[in-house]
Amino acid sequence: MLSLNRGSSLLRGAAARTVVVRCGSGRRGEGKGRGVAMESTHEEVEALMDPKNTVGGGVEDTYGEDRATEDQLVTPWTVSVASGYWLLRDPRHNKGLAFTEKERDAHYLRGLLPPVVASQELQEKKLMHNLRQYKLPLQRYMAMMDLQERNERLFYKLLIDNVEELLPVVYTPTVGEACQKYGSIFRHPQGLYISLKEKGKILEVLRNWPERSIQVIVVTDGERILGLGDLGCQGMGIPVGKLSLYTALGGLRPSACLPITIDVGTNNEQLLNDEFYIGLRQRRATGQEYADLLHEFMRAVKQNYGEKILIQGTASVVLAGVVAALKLVGGTLAEHTYLFLGAGEAGTGIAELIALEMSRQTNAPIEECRKKIWLVDSKGLIVSSRKESLQHFKKPWAHEHEPIKNLLGAVQVIKPTILIGTSGVGRTFTKDVVEAMASFNEKPIILALSNPTSQSECTAEEAYTWSKGRAIFASGSPFDPVEYEGKTFVPGQANNAYIFPGFGLGLVISGAIRVHDDLLLAASEALAQQVTQENFDKGLIYPPFTNIRKISAKIASNVAAKAYELGLASRLPRPENLVKYAESCMYTPLYRSYR
């Protein structure tokens, strides 16, 4: 599947919307790049197409790499059997000091390594110790990216075993700073770069990628990266980071994931004048030139990898948080009033999913459900008298009301029970706004979703302090626990990493032919069900990330079950236990033993 991660003309609302292209069967690359198989014969291609050689609902595994248990032997294929110096430089198969004495003899490693043999656990312990010595998050990010390029399995083992500590390093908020400085810290190319120079040759570029059995592509054109604006080609950090989470949290194989940046220039003057900038030094292409490149890209992806479908990511995780929060405040979705600050396609995408679930629960027309949801943009409350001047995606939210120029005025008049920030502008939930929310809500629900941390509408400390400890708070980027009047509050994080890995896994294991809104709702419901009473007692509306793989398996199970129910699944027969099946399909980063 292809995820278009963007907030502008490539796909408006990066936080709210992801386009997925389901990939057809294929074989691995022919002699290009690292970690690819030997040239395939006709018999090998037929073997690849054999259902017996697939894992996890269609993940091609011709060489038995993932079907093998840890105690079974596998062959470290590259262009030929990897050995010696080149084996140590193949990140997919390199084990560093963990190569056994027997493997060192068999693969010509004698003298290329120090004599000690270290376990993967010891390697992990040493690397975590080293990472914790760095004072700056960006230094940890660079160290993790270097590890990913050196030893893939150890990278994922570190990330899986230390997810709460390392998630903010490889994803938001640190990835935002990494994108800003990507040219300066660039060491190894990751993924594919498709620029205007490749116009007319995009299919050839896709075929340069050494893997053929791609299941997930995340692509950005870098115009809106988190709340940081146009970062051009340096937005590659987002697809790279997001795909590492598809593997670590959702269990998709690294070789099935492909990050892509479409470089059409940048309007960021600072980058254009930066001698270390790695992208095209021209202003951003627009109009027909942009549309033609995007059309060629989509056509090439479809030709190379298959059919396209649509996913929503952050919208689902926010809905899950709202559903969970209602267990603390009571009432149904339809009994609450929602006010958004930020009416881009991120905000409207989340609003639409809330309205869809409200409509499903009440059987009311979605037009009626939308009337419970209000949006404020840079010009004030979106009302019907502004309809003619509104962008098309804002028009469904233009309700009958007198104009209100600012957020505080809207809060005081609309009296929402749930306040959601998707503005990308920091510190816009001011003390007056939070105090107003607390004045007519016993437990105001405040979701400050903009990333990175510097762009959050308010901090956790501000939300808890200004509401006198009564707010139910979650944010897009992580905040530390807050002490208020002797009580510790643990802020939740409305991170789309809760949803998209498990959602993607559910599509893969069911072989879903397209995405229906009900699949998104199924993912939200599954996540909300994972919040325990212990979590609620701490004020959390999301479960801890320590259990994320089990959470992803349950989300995948729920999504797959809904796909089978709606007749959208192509992997037949349906597994009896979808949760166990999802878990069995997950990539494991434990080292393999080599012949």
Side-chain angles (χ1 to χ4, degrees):
M1 50 192 171
L2 158 72
S3 229
L4 284 175
N5 184 50
R6 250 291 258 131
S8 181
S9 44
L10 177 59
L11 182 64
R12 299 273 179 191
R17 215 177 272 179
T18 314
V19 171
V20 171
V21 173
R22 294 271 304 126
C23 304
S25 296
R27 57 186 171 82
R28 295 190 176 186
E30 298 179 344
K32 290 185 180 178
R34 56 159 178 82
V36 299
M38 293 171 62
E39 292 192 7
S40 299
T41 64
H42 177 70
E43 289 76 12
E44 286 173 324
V45 173
E46 288 187 338
L48 184 61
M49 302 300 289
D50 189 333
K52 296 192 294 296
N53 290 328
T54 65
V55 171
V59 183
E60 288 81 354
D61 189 31
T62 305
Y63 304 102
E65 177 182 343
D66 290 311
R67 284 184 288 112
T69 59
E70 280 69 25
D71 58 347
Q72 288 178 305
L73 299 177
V74 297
T75 300
W77 290 94
T78 56
V79 176
S80 58
V81 177
S83 63
Y85 179 89
W86 298 111
L87 178 56
L88 295 177
R89 278 148 185 79
D90 180 348
R92 184 177 305 174
H93 301 300
N94 179 30
K95 300 195 291 186
L97 292 176
F99 282 107
T100 65
E101 299 286 356
K102 184 176 179 182
E103 288 171 334
R104 295 180 189 205
D105 285 332
H107 293 282
Y108 307 99
L109 296 173
R110 286 292 176 190
L112 301 181
L113 291 166
V116 71
V117 176
S119 66
Q120 191 177 24
E121 290 70 26
L122 183 61
Q123 290 178 315
E124 180 180 1
K125 180 179 179 181
K126 181 181 76 171
L127 282 167
M128 287 306 300
H129 171 77
N130 292 343
L131 282 170
R132 289 166 182 152
Q133 305 309 304
Y134 292 118
K135 299 189 183 303
L136 300 177
L138 185 61
Q139 293 174 320
R140 298 189 189 100
Y141 175 89
M142 292 170 66
M144 286 296 288
M145 293 303 101
D146 282 346
L147 177 61
Q148 188 177 21
E149 288 299 308
R150 187 173 74 249
N151 186 330
E152 189 175 85
R153 287 187 180 272
L154 188 55
F155 168 83
Y156 285 111
K157 190 162 195 313
L158 238 67
L159 186 50
I160 291 168
D161 292 350
N162 305 275
V163 63
E164 289 198 312
E165 183 173 351
L166 295 181
L167 182 61
V169 174
V170 301
Y171 200 49
T172 182
T174 308
V175 72
E177 182 183 2
C179 288
Q180 289 176 306
K181 301 175 180 177
Y182 210 77
S184 298
I185 67 174
F186 180 84
R187 296 182 183 179
H188 310 283
Q190 295 176 295
L192 281 177
Y193 293 85
I194 298 174
S195 75
L196 290 170
K197 292 180 179 180
E198 281 72 58
K199 187 175 181 181
K201 299 182 290 187
I202 293 179
L203 183 59
E204 294 175 35
V205 174
L206 292 178
R207 288 173 174 166
N208 284 343
W209 190 248
E211 302 295 342
R212 290 296 176 264
S213 74
I214 299 297
Q215 290 193 307
V216 184
I217 299 174
V218 178
V219 58
T220 181
D221 77 350
E223 187 170 3
R224 292 186 187 177
I225 298 298
L226 303 176
L228 302 173
D230 187 349
L231 297 184
C233 189
Q234 297 189 168
M236 178 59 98
I238 295 295
V240 169
K242 182 166 281 192
L243 285 173
S244 69
L245 301 186
Y246 268 103
T247 295
L249 312 187
L252 291 168
R253 282 212 328 272
S255 59
C257 301
L258 173 57
I260 295 179
T261 287
I262 294 182
D263 185 359
V264 294
T266 178
N267 294 333
N268 186 323
E269 291 293 340
Q270 185 177 349
L271 291 180
L272 290 173
N273 295 322
D274 183 352
E275 63 178 326
F276 299 127
Y277 180 56
I278 60 174
L280 290 178
R281 292 181 184 277
Q282 65 175 64
R283 299 196 70 79
R284 185 171 286 276
T286 58
Q288 195 60 45
E289 184 180 17
Y290 182 92
D292 288 347
L293 188 73
L294 182 59
H295 178 69
E296 182 188 348
F297 171 73
M298 295 300 293
R299 190 173 64 244
V301 166
K302 185 173 182 180
Q303 183 174 343
N304 217 32
Y305 300 121
E307 166 191 356
K308 74 182 175 184
I309 51 180
L310 178 71
I311 316 178
Q312 296 188 14
T314 298
S316 298
V317 80
V318 175
L319 174 59
V322 170
V323 170
L326 297 188
K327 296 178 183 177
L328 291 172
V329 300
T332 64
L333 283 175
E335 292 169 340
H336 286 266
T337 302
Y338 307 80
L339 180 62
F340 282 75
L341 176 63
E345 288 203 357
T348 56
I350 296 168
E352 184 69 7
L353 199 62
I354 292 173
L356 280 169
E357 177 64 4
M358 199 185 298
S359 175
R360 189 187 69 82
Q361 291 180 2
T362 62
N363 291 321
I366 193 166
E367 292 78 13
E368 288 300 311
C369 296
R370 289 185 183 128
K371 292 178 181 178
K372 301 287 292 182
I373 302 171
W374 299 81
L375 284 80
V376 171
D377 64 8
S378 60
K379 295 181 174 61
L381 189 67
I382 293 178
V383 294
S384 54
S385 60
R386 294 177 52 196
K387 203 163 190 176
E388 292 305 314
S389 63
L390 291 174
Q391 293 161 288
H392 67 92
F393 53 86
K394 294 183 182 181
K395 290 183 178 181
W397 311 99
H399 307 319
E400 289 292 335
H401 201 284
E402 69 272 10
I404 299 176
K405 291 296 184 184
N406 56 54
L407 176 63
L408 178 59
V411 168
Q412 292 168 334
V413 173
I414 302 297
K415 292 186 170 19
T417 51
I418 299 173
L419 179 64
I420 300 174
T422 60
S423 64
V425 181
R427 304 301 184 267
T428 42
F429 289 175
T430 62
K431 183 179 181 181
D432 288 343
V433 167
V434 175
E435 286 180 344
M437 285 289 294
S439 69
F440 48 79
N441 289 301
E442 178 60 29
K443 292 182 177 180
I445 298 173
I446 298 175
L447 307 180
L449 302 181
S450 294
N451 287 311
T453 309
S454 60
Q455 306 305 115
S456 183
E457 284 78 10
C458 69
T459 67
E461 184 176 11
E462 289 167 345
Y464 292 125
T465 302
W466 294 338
S467 67
K468 296 182 168 37
R470 291 189 281 119
I472 298 169
F473 176 81
S475 57
S477 288
F479 284 102
D480 292 331
V482 174
E483 292 277 345
Y484 180 79
E485 293 189 352
K487 185 175 180 181
T488 300
F489 295 89
V490 182
Q493 186 183 358
N495 193 322
N496 57 14
Y498 275 114
I499 289 285
F500 65 75
F503 189 89
L505 181 62
L507 295 178
V508 169
I509 66 174
S510 64
I513 57 174
R514 64 183 179 87
V515 169
H516 189 280
D517 287 331
D518 284 355
L519 302 187
L520 307 173
L521 301 178
S524 297
E525 290 166 2
L527 177 57
Q529 290 166 5
Q530 304 309 305
V531 187
T532 66
Q533 187 57 50
E534 182 183 356
N535 301 146
F536 286 133
D537 292 343
K538 294 179 180 178
L540 286 169
I541 57 175
Y542 295 102
F545 266 106
T546 47
N547 299 321
I548 187 60
R549 278 209 151 195
K550 290 188 179 296
I551 293 168
S552 292
K554 288 180 179 176
I555 290 172
S557 168
N558 235 37
V559 169
K562 184 59 70 173
Y564 281 106
E565 179 187 326
L566 296 175
L568 300 176
S570 63
R571 304 291 177 196
L572 301 172
R574 169 180 167 159
E576 289 185 15
N577 188 321
L578 283 169
V579 174
K580 286 186 177 179
Y581 182 61
E583 290 174 340
S584 74
C585 293
M586 285 183 164
Y587 166 87
T588 171
L590 298 178
Y591 286 150
R592 300 300 195 244
S593 296
Y594 298 150
R595 293 182 177 89

